[in-house]
Amino acid sequence: MTNIDNVPIENTTSANNILPQFVDHLRQLHGIIVQNTYVKDTAKHLNRIIQDANNETMILIVGKERVGKTTLVNGLLGRQVLSVSDQHSTGVNTFLRYGENEEIKAYFLDGVVATFDMSKLELLTTGDTFASEILREHLDYLEVYLKNDLLKSVTIIDSVSLEAGGGEMAYFPESLMNRVDEIFWVLRSGSMAIYPEILLMETLKNKGVEPLCVINGIDSNENTEMFINSERERFGHLTSNFVAISATEALEAKQTNSDELWQKSQYEHLITEIQRVAENSDKKTYAIIIRFLQWLERFRFELTVIPQRDPFQSAVENIEKYAGDTQYEFSRYQRDLTIVTEYEQEYEQVANVFKNVQTLYQLLQTISQNDYLQDEIVESFTEKAIYYQLKVREYRNMQSEYMREYDRLDAQHKKIHGKGLIKAIFGQHTQNDFFKERVDKLNEQQELCIAHFEKVHETETLILQSIQSIQSHLMDLSRKRLARIEQKVQELNQQRSREKHQLQLYANKLNEFSCLIEAQGYMKEKIQPFLMDEHMPLRAKDIEMLKETINSIVSIDLTNSGLLARSQMNKKMESTAIPFEAQQKYPLHTLALVEADVKSNDIPEIPKKLDIQYEE
């Protein structure tokens, strides 16, 4: 992120057209240098520049522990997506991107990429289990894809907390700060920025970066305005602006759909700042170009040292790092084994999802607890089944009410006449009119019972007609879920196999310096003329840096750097596919409800109509 507020407007008017063309040139350059393993990390950084140029505007949320960074992000998303823990802060940098299918992609330090369901987000970010700790030790970062309109224009990064150890300077990875378009620095209202934070802000200021200072927690501090004024005096010259918000109130407002609470949270000011960043395409274009110029300097340094070292020995060192270091390989294998164990546990749960389902009620409970068992067909059946159960309850209540009234009247009748209601009574008595009226009301209730019983039978028939087809459909959904889990394991093992194959190619790549020579020519003939065009948003000092760096790169002689030796590397690697025997261990339990399982077996009979006459 570079400050280009002073770039003349006439030099940035064509930025929107420049960036796509520039990215095409970078892709060509990346395709050339990626063939050489010695500049693998440098190629990775170039690829990140390309990705960032194509991605939405990136906003980095930073700050020390317990300032509410994650809650702030949840407030922007309008729901509790990211886990918030009082004991464990966010343990890995998390990129929140737009996606039609909500899922997690975990990027590990050794290049492995694993896909997880959203249910695993807490495990990967704040979980304190042994499995989660193993995974986070090897994690580089997470990408969480969410179907959220805000993420169509920006990518938000929920970062790990700033580290301020024994030294005076707070630490945060510079590589991540350099990738983003804007930094939102979060403080909690009433809790002053610590000295190491201010020192880090000064470092950013020297690089032309001025973060936006977000004061969170205005709902818990009545003196926020005084606090902001005090902090502005301390380090306001290091920031672009101050914005005060309440992340807690914003999240609650979204969850309760409260406009009043949303206004009170002052999140509109934060949204405005996000929109400002997202719409500043000229600034992003210039920042990408400057990052590339900085990357060129790194590339120049790597080319300079290549002729001065033994490429063969360097290649062997790389091979031993990935294949010869038993401890490293064991750790990686344990990481993969942990992932497969998570998959196996999920497979077991899906395979046994219907194991204890013996009634319609249990089936409905199981469906409601498992998202993968829900679609339009299942939803239609569920509505019918719930309606059936409702009608059964209504009938039971009505029949029970009838029987209570009948018993009371029957007891009264016995007391006066000496016989129950079902016995014919003749003769005269002063209470006969009372009994006639009550019997008539009972018969009215009996007719209502008949009507409700018929409705129960009608809905029961509909359920029984569809029970076999819905069970077959639910079994298909379960099989698809199991197949997806098997596919994840297969993809992980395929990636391990690809790594093995890549290791076998290291020896052959010792002579592949020709691609670097090709990259020298491409920079001189294509990239330098493109960037020196008069319409490019570059200052004079940037152009001088460009010419000096590329001339230095071209002057490096790599023509005699090729080696004919063939590596006799140790090809040892834990390449065996991680076993996944869940299919045999956990066969899919068949859902086989019969008519008796579906029907309510305790529906009382319809009361008989009372036909009692008394002599006048």
Side-chain angles (χ1 to χ4, degrees):
M1 191 178 75
T2 306
N3 191 340
I4 64 162
D5 293 338
N6 296 324
V7 177
I9 295 177
E10 61 270 17
N11 288 343
T12 62
T13 53
S14 61
N16 287 333
N17 296 324
I18 290 172
L19 189 57
Q21 299 175 50
F22 184 50
V23 169
D24 286 340
H25 285 299
L26 296 188
R27 283 201 186 98
Q28 291 288 335
L29 178 60
H30 180 265
I32 295 172
I33 68 172
V34 77
Q35 302 173 51
N36 188 282
T37 58
Y38 297 107
V39 293
K40 180 180 179 180
D41 288 340
T42 301
K44 179 179 178 181
H45 282 281
L46 178 60
N47 192 46
R48 281 190 174 178
I49 295 175
I50 296 170
Q51 290 176 349
D52 294 345
N54 286 325
N55 286 337
E56 297 80 11
T57 299
M58 290 200 293
I59 296 177
L60 175 65
I61 311 295
V62 301
K64 56 182 183 289
E65 287 186 348
R66 309 292 178 246
V67 295
K69 299 186 296 297
T70 300
T71 305
L72 183 151
V73 175
N74 285 333
L76 290 172
L77 300 175
R79 58 187 174 117
Q80 190 83 29
V81 175
L82 301 174
S83 175
V84 178
S85 170
D86 292 334
Q87 289 77 32
H88 304 281
S89 57
T90 301
V92 59
N93 293 320
T94 305
F95 289 66
L96 296 133
R97 302 186 184 278
Y98 181 83
E100 289 292 327
N101 297 319
E102 298 198 344
E103 62 181 3
I104 305 167
K105 286 187 178 179
Y107 291 80
F108 291 91
L109 294 171
D110 59 1
V112 171
V113 180
T115 303
F116 294 90
D117 295 329
M118 290 296 295
S119 61
K120 303 298 182 183
L121 187 54
E122 181 177 357
L123 168 77
L124 295 168
T125 56
T126 61
D128 59 356
T129 64
F130 177 71
S132 63
E133 290 175 357
I134 287 181
L135 290 175
R136 279 202 297 274
E137 283 180 3
H138 296 84
L139 271 174
D140 188 4
Y141 62 94
L142 297 177
E143 285 184 348
V144 178
Y145 291 86
L146 300 169
K147 193 173 183 180
N148 184 288
D149 288 341
L150 177 65
L151 300 179
K152 289 181 178 180
S153 59
V154 295
T155 291
I156 299 174
I157 307 171
D158 183 31
S159 69
V160 299
S161 298
L162 290 172
E163 296 182 14
E168 293 184 339
M169 177 67 77
Y171 170 75
F172 197 84
E174 185 177 356
S175 59
L176 181 56
M177 284 190 170
N178 289 339
R179 291 185 62 189
V180 301
D181 300 289
E182 194 75 30
I183 296 176
F184 284 5
W185 202 294
V186 184
L187 297 177
R188 180 164 291 281
S189 182
S191 178
M192 298 170 57
I194 59 177
Y195 182 62
E197 285 186 280
I198 298 177
L199 286 180
L200 182 52
M201 290 184 193
E202 289 179 349
T203 301
L204 293 174
K205 177 74 171 183
N206 293 334
K207 296 180 179 180
V209 179
E210 296 180 353
L212 173 72
C213 188
V214 181
I215 307 298
N216 185 24
I218 61 175
D219 54 309
S220 58
N221 184 13
E222 297 180 353
N223 298 319
T224 295
E225 185 174 352
M226 184 182 303
F227 173 76
I228 292 177
N229 291 334
S230 173
E231 294 296 87
R232 195 187 300 274
E233 290 182 7
R234 294 178 65 214
F235 60 85
H237 61 289
L238 304 176
T239 64
S240 62
N241 200 358
F242 283 76
V243 173
I245 54 101
S246 170
T248 302
E249 290 181 340
L251 180 58
E252 184 180 351
K254 286 291 187 179
Q255 291 174 334
T256 60
N257 198 25
S258 171
D259 290 337
E260 180 181 353
L261 198 56
W262 176 256
Q263 294 300 323
K264 187 178 177 182
S265 73
Q266 299 189 33
Y267 250 53
E268 286 298 334
H269 299 306
L270 191 60
I271 298 294
T272 299
E273 291 293 338
I274 292 175
Q275 292 172 342
R276 171 187 62 79
V277 176
E279 292 169 359
N280 196 347
S281 58
D282 292 349
K283 181 178 180 181
K284 178 174 182 177
T285 298
Y286 183 73
I288 291 294
I289 294 175
I290 292 300
R291 282 178 60 189
F292 174 69
L293 295 183
Q294 295 168 347
W295 177 89
L296 277 178
E297 179 60 28
R298 174 185 177 134
F299 185 68
R300 181 199 64 78
F301 174 77
E302 288 204 333
L303 292 191
T304 300
V305 300
I306 284 177
Q308 302 171 6
R309 64 185 181 183
D310 185 347
F312 175 78
Q313 292 297 327
S314 299
V316 170
E317 289 174 4
N318 276 312
I319 292 167
E320 289 178 347
K321 174 183 177 182
Y322 290 97
D325 188 338
T326 305
Q327 183 59 39
Y328 176 88
E329 180 53 41
F330 175 79
S331 177
R332 181 170 56 177
Y333 183 81
Q334 290 299 310
R335 191 281 319 279
D336 291 347
L337 187 61
T338 299
I339 294 176
V340 173
T341 300
E342 290 286 336
Y343 290 157
E344 182 172 334
Q345 291 173 355
E346 183 182 359
Y347 191 101
E348 179 184 7
Q349 188 275 328
V350 176
N352 293 322
V353 69
F354 298 123
K355 185 175 182 179
N356 297 318
V357 175
Q358 299 177 356
T359 65
L360 178 61
Y361 174 79
Q362 292 172 341
L363 177 61
L364 295 178
Q365 289 293 105
T366 300
I367 291 172
S368 68
Q369 294 167 3
N370 297 278
D371 292 343
Y372 60 88
L373 295 177
Q374 300 171 17
D375 61 11
E376 292 181 358
I377 296 175
V378 178
E379 182 179 354
S380 176
F381 169 81
T382 301
E383 289 176 355
K384 294 176 184 177
I386 293 175
Y387 184 70
Y388 165 62
Q389 293 181 329
L390 173 64
K391 289 304 171 184
V392 170
R393 288 195 298 272
E394 288 178 350
Y395 171 74
R396 287 198 190 103
N397 292 337
M398 183 169 292
Q399 199 272 351
S400 177
E401 182 181 351
Y402 172 91
M403 293 306 301
R404 285 196 299 272
E405 184 63 27
Y406 173 88
D407 290 342
R408 284 197 297 268
L409 191 60
D410 186 65
Q412 290 177 323
H413 197 278
K414 287 180 179 179
K415 185 175 181 181
I416 294 175
H417 293 284
K419 296 181 180 180
L421 286 173
I422 62 173
K423 302 292 185 179
I425 304 297
F426 299 95
Q428 295 185 354
H429 195 280
T430 57
Q431 295 292 327
N432 283 353
D433 289 339
F434 166 80
F435 284 113
K436 287 181 181 179
E437 180 182 349
R438 298 300 294 275
V439 166
D440 289 339
K441 289 184 178 180
L442 278 176
N443 284 334
E444 290 175 2
Q445 285 183 270
Q446 188 262 355
E447 291 177 0
L448 290 176
C449 286
I450 293 175
H452 273 71
F453 187 86
E454 291 175 352
K455 195 65 178 178
V456 168
H457 181 71
E458 178 184 333
T459 54
E460 184 180 80
T461 301
L462 292 175
I463 293 297
L464 293 176
Q465 288 174 348
S466 59
I467 189 61
Q468 294 304 321
S469 62
I470 197 63
Q471 289 187 99
S472 176
H473 182 66
L474 288 170
M475 292 298 295
D476 287 341
L477 292 178
S478 299
R479 293 187 187 95
K480 289 179 180 178
R481 186 68 167 193
L482 295 178
R484 174 57 181 152
I485 297 171
E486 293 174 7
Q487 182 183 358
K488 289 180 181 180
V489 177
Q490 183 181 9
E491 289 171 354
L492 185 64
N493 280 321
Q494 287 174 347
Q495 190 157 358
R496 290 178 59 79
S497 177
R498 287 193 295 268
E499 289 176 355
K500 171 66 174 179
H501 179 67
Q502 186 64 40
L503 286 173
Q504 293 171 344
L505 295 177
Y506 268 122
N508 296 330
K509 290 190 176 182
L510 286 175
N511 284 327
E512 293 178 0
F513 287 96
S514 60
C515 66
L516 300 183
I517 299 173
E518 182 184 353
Q520 288 175 307
Y522 186 80
M523 290 179 186
K524 185 68 175 179
E525 298 170 9
K526 297 293 183 179
I527 291 183
Q528 182 172 336
F530 177 80
L531 290 178
M532 293 184 64
D533 186 276
E534 61 181 6
H535 296 296
M536 295 297 293
L538 290 175
R539 301 166 180 166
K541 66 176 183 179
D542 299 327
I543 294 176
E544 285 302 314
M545 176 184 176
L546 171 67
K547 291 193 296 185
E548 179 183 344
T549 305
I550 290 186
N551 287 338
S552 177
I553 288 173
V554 173
S555 67
I556 299 171
D557 183 12
L558 298 175
T559 56
N560 296 321
S561 296
L563 294 178
L564 299 177
R566 292 293 183 263
S567 170
Q568 300 299 319
M569 69 176 187
N570 179 6
K571 297 181 180 180
K572 179 183 177 182
M573 178 183 177
E574 193 76 46
S575 61
T576 306
I578 297 178
F580 188 71
E581 301 173 349
Q583 303 94 326
Q584 292 76 31
K585 292 170 62 177
Y586 311 112
L588 178 59
H589 195 282
T590 303
L591 177 61
L593 297 181
V594 296
E595 180 175 318
D597 300 327
V598 176
K599 295 171 62 175
S600 296
N601 56 13
D602 58 345
I603 301 178
E605 295 181 353
I606 301 174
K608 295 181 180 180
K609 184 175 182 180
L610 296 175
D611 187 13
I612 303 173
Q613 297 180 356
Y614 296 92
E615 285 186 353
E616 296 297 331

